[in-house]
């Protein structure tokens, strides 16, 4: 069983920690497989290590694999001594970082830095997180300028009801009480077809889901342990 390694807190620590390819590789392996390497294809834990090649051999599917298989690093010749500092730089930079800046910092070409930047951003935006559990609250809203505040020339001849959401964007969010928040833009509005995939993919079936009484949520009791809904028409906005 591998001990979870400490994560560097400064750029200097990151550079020193990951400068050696073997150290960087072992760091990632310990994070990915804290209980020992397992085949990413079949899940079998009976594997033989091939340390010279930084590979493992699966006794079940009879195939070799590396720590990159099944991750955004797969099919990339770039070592973890470059990938890990790049992840640290991108995730810790509040104002973002360009491929040129990343390339200079890592000592790679701009083309390589762009490739890494694209994959890391995809990884950070990926929805393949663990499912939320416990008590979950879900709701949708519209974000954008108010139609009623627009000039009279724009509002003339149009009703507020028909134009209410013309210039607004629908956003759907779920929050785990005391935990994570996830949100998505819904280009076609908060329909049942748009909401259900996000709910089913991101919420564990044993969770309790709190929503309002909109028709889009009527199917939730079939998929989750418990569904509680507040009724806005009865001036009910909060429960528990």
């Amino acid at each position: 069983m591998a001990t979870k390694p400490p994560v560097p807190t400064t750029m200097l620590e990151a550079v020193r920690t990951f400068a050696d390819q073997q150290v960087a590789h072992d760091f990632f392996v310990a994070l990915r497989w804290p209980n020992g390497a397992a085949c990413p294809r079949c899940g079998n834990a009976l594997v033989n290590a091939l340390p010279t090649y930084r590979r493992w051999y699966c006794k079940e599917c009879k195939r070799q694999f590396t720590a990159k298989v099944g991750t955004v690093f797969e099919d990339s010749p770039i070592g973890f001594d470059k990938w890990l500092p790049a992840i640290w730089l991108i995730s810790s930079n509040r104002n973002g970082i360009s491929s040129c800046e990343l390339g200079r910092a890592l000592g790679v070409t701009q083309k390589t830095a762009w490739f890494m930047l694209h994959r890391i951003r995809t990884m950070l935006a990926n929805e393949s997180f663990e499912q939320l559990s416990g008590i979950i609250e879900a709701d949708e809203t519209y974000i954008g300028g108010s139609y009623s505040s627009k000039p009279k020339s724009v509002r003339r001849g149009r009703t507020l009801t028909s134009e209410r959401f013309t210039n607004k964007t629908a956003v759907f969010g779920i929050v785990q009480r005391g935990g994570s928040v996830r949100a998505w833009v819904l280009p076609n509005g908060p329909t049942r077809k748009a909401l259900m995939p996000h709910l089913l993919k991101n919420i564990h079936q044993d969770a309790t889901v709190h929503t309002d009484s909109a028709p889009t949520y009527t199917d939730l009791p079939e998929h989750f342990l418990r569904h509680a809904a507040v009724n806005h028409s009865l001036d009910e906005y909060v429960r528990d």
Side-chain angles (χ1 to χ4, degrees):
M1 181 181 296
T3 303
K4 186 176 181 181
V7 179
T9 57
T10 67
M11 182 57 193
L12 184 59
E13 287 183 20
V15 172
R16 288 175 175 173
T17 301
F18 305 133
D20 183 272
Q21 286 196 27
Q22 188 62 48
V23 172
H25 177 269
D26 294 343
F27 180 93
F28 180 77
V29 169
L31 285 178
R32 184 176 186 186
W33 294 308
N35 297 318
C39 180
R41 298 187 180 94
C42 66
N44 180 45
L46 296 176
V47 298
N48 287 334
L50 306 173
T52 303
Y53 306 99
R54 299 192 183 111
R55 290 173 175 267
W56 289 264
Y57 174 77
C58 177
K59 297 180 180 179
E60 180 67 26
C61 62
K62 310 300 182 183
R63 299 176 66 182
Q64 294 185 15
F65 64 91
T66 69
K68 293 181 180 179
V69 173
T71 72
V72 294
F73 313 120
E74 190 170 358
D75 298 327
S76 164
I78 304 169
F80 286 113
D81 58 321
K82 300 293 185 184
W83 277 114
L84 296 182
I87 294 173
W88 194 95
L89 279 169
I90 294 169
S91 61
S92 63
N93 197 313
R94 295 182 179 179
N95 298 321
I97 185 171
S98 69
S99 58
C100 292
E101 292 176 296
L102 185 62
R104 287 193 296 268
L106 298 177
V108 298
T109 65
Q110 184 274 333
K111 185 177 181 180
T112 298
W114 184 91
F115 168 79
M116 298 175 71
L117 192 63
H118 178 74
R119 286 209 173 186
I120 293 172
R121 283 176 174 169
T122 300
M123 177 186 66
L124 294 176
N126 200 334
E127 299 177 359
S128 59
F129 305 101
E130 293 182 358
Q131 290 182 312
L132 303 183
S133 59
I135 299 178
I136 311 297
E137 298 177 24
D139 202 1
E140 71 283 343
T141 188
Y142 285 87
I143 296 178
S146 173
Y147 179 75
S148 60
S149 65
K150 295 185 180 299
K152 289 184 178 180
S153 59
V154 176
R155 293 186 284 120
R156 187 178 295 117
R158 301 180 184 180
T159 63
L160 179 59
T161 302
S162 62
E163 301 291 339
R164 185 177 180 184
F165 303 126
T166 299
N167 297 308
K168 297 195 175 199
T169 301
V171 176
F172 174 62
I174 59 176
V175 57
Q176 178 182 15
R177 289 190 183 176
S180 302
V181 177
R182 299 177 189 175
W184 303 269
V185 173
L186 304 176
N188 299 319
T191 62
R192 183 179 304 179
K193 184 178 180 180
L195 295 181
M196 287 306 296
H198 294 302
L199 290 166
L200 296 176
K201 185 175 182 179
N202 290 273
I203 302 177
H204 193 275
Q205 61 182 3
D206 291 335
T208 296
V209 183
H210 288 254
T211 69
D212 55 31
S213 55
T216 50
Y217 300 116
T218 54
D219 294 338
L220 293 192
E222 301 177 11
H223 302 283
F224 301 104
L225 179 65
R226 180 171 177 260
H227 174 223
V230 294
N231 193 337
H232 295 332
S233 63
L234 300 178
D235 291 332
E236 183 184 28
Y237 294 92
V238 178
R239 185 184 299 171
D240 300 331

